[in-house]
Amino acid sequence: HSLARLLSPMIVPPRFKTVVVSVDAGSHVGTLRLNRPSKSNAIDGDMWAEIPKAVQWLDDQAEVRVVVVTGAGKNFCAGIDVSSPESLTSQLGQATAVKCPGRKAEALFRHIRGLQDSFTAFERCRKPVMCAVQGACFGGGVDMAVACDVRYCSADARFCVKEVDLAITADIGTLQRLPTLVGHGVATEMALTARVVGAEEARAIGLVTEVAPNAAALEALAGERARALASKSPLAVLGTKQAMLHARDHSVREGLEFVAMMNSARLTSEDLGEAMAAKFA
């Protein structure tokens, strides 16, 4: 890995106000860290805009094969920033001078779709995205986590679909993605009650795959899993992500046709030959 770092060109990531991106070229792992720790990484207008840009940059890097999403500080993400009435009004798309109800509704529709796209960026990313959750993961934090491909958490993690307590129907993706992870009944109960789900229950219901004892152990766990995944055939990994997302949203018959079409083009790759040669050497 040290030799690979020396031989790899220097990667200079872009700078953002609310997130930090980095790349370990030796292990082929990119990291996106939410970076508003004093606000428990609450999502403000800048973060909505910067997350998809950061994800797209990581997706564009040839050296990156896996992305890990983390949060600076004690909490992963406390949801949307409700620290002031102005911030909340702006994020809800209500800070508009438009008087016509029809035009106002259409503007609000476009605003919500834009927020949805911010987190759908994790699904659009060709590389698998692993999410490491410590502390609070509330509201928009859950929207973010369930848009990722794999989730791990620390023992102090707490998950809450908080929107009903703010008199809002969750509209950024949790109600669509959470049921496919934990089942329709459990997701409905979480969304209606806005109760807090702890780490062990999150693992039991399938919201997370593994629980680490603390934040340091969580970082080590996510790093280990990401490095292991990055060592596998990039084409096979990308194809698996595409096939899993397609299968979630389509019938079995459509999924089988999709993966057959995909593999008919990809089974001629050099990765397959190298894997077979290594297995039977």
Side-chain angles (χ1 to χ4, degrees):
H1 282 182
S2 59
L3 179 59
R5 289 190 184 93
L6 289 173
L7 296 177
S8 298
M10 177 67 80
I11 299 174
V12 181
R15 296 177 66 88
F16 298 102
K17 289 176 63 177
T18 65
V19 300
V20 176
V21 292
S22 60
V23 175
D24 183 338
S27 64
H28 300 291
V29 175
T31 300
L32 188 161
R33 188 180 302 274
L34 309 180
N35 196 37
R36 300 186 76 213
S38 64
K39 298 285 188 179
S40 293
N41 297 315
I43 309 162
D44 65 358
D46 289 325
M47 189 178 286
W48 285 116
E50 290 180 346
I51 282 177
K53 294 175 183 176
V55 173
Q56 185 62 60
W57 184 84
L58 288 166
D59 197 14
D60 289 341
Q61 303 310 302
E63 293 286 349
V64 175
R65 298 181 182 178
V66 180
V67 176
V68 177
V69 179
T70 66
K74 296 188 297 182
N75 296 306
F76 173 71
C77 178
I80 63 173
D81 189 343
V82 294
S83 59
S84 70
E86 295 77 19
S87 175
L88 181 58
T89 298
S90 174
Q91 293 201 65
L92 295 181
Q94 296 174 343
T96 175
V98 176
K99 300 300 182 185
C100 170
R103 288 180 172 82
K104 195 168 188 175
E106 198 276 334
L108 181 56
F109 172 81
R110 286 186 288 108
H111 176 77
I112 294 170
R113 290 293 286 154
L115 301 186
Q116 291 170 346
D117 279 348
S118 291
F119 290 170
T120 298
F122 295 116
E123 286 187 351
R124 282 196 304 265
C125 180
R126 294 170 302 133
K127 289 77 182 275
V129 181
M130 295 178 161
C131 185
V133 175
Q134 83 283 5
C137 181
F138 287 5
V142 177
D143 289 317
M144 196 183 312
V146 298
C148 297
D149 301 297
V150 182
R151 286 150 297 281
Y152 307 109
C153 75
S154 58
D156 70 343
R158 307 179 307 283
F159 299 86
C160 179
V161 184
K162 191 70 174 171
E163 282 81 354
V164 290
D165 284 349
L166 296 174
I168 304 169
T169 298
D171 57 5
I172 308 300
T174 289
L175 301 187
Q176 291 69 40
R177 296 182 176 108
L178 185 62
T180 68
L181 299 174
V182 304
H184 186 84
V186 173
T188 300
E189 190 267 350
M190 288 177 62
L192 289 175
T193 64
R195 70 178 180 86
V196 175
V197 172
E200 287 303 329
E201 183 181 359
R203 175 165 57 180
I205 63 178
L207 180 53
V208 302
T209 307
E210 295 182 75
V211 178
N214 52 54
L218 173 65
E219 186 171 348
L221 170 66
E224 180 183 351
R225 296 290 182 264
R227 289 189 294 273
L229 182 52
S231 71
K232 302 180 187 300
S233 159
L235 275 179
V237 169
L238 269 57
T240 298
K241 172 170 178 168
Q242 290 176 315
M244 291 299 292
L245 287 172
H246 186 278
R248 182 195 66 185
D249 299 333
H250 296 79
S251 69
V252 172
R253 180 185 62 79
E254 291 169 320
L256 289 170
E257 183 173 0
F258 175 83
V259 77
M261 289 287 290
M262 181 173 63
N263 268 359
S264 66
R266 293 184 176 180
L267 285 180
T268 57
S269 76
E270 295 177 355
D271 288 4
L272 179 63
E274 291 175 6
M276 291 298 101
K279 180 175 178 62
F280 297 109

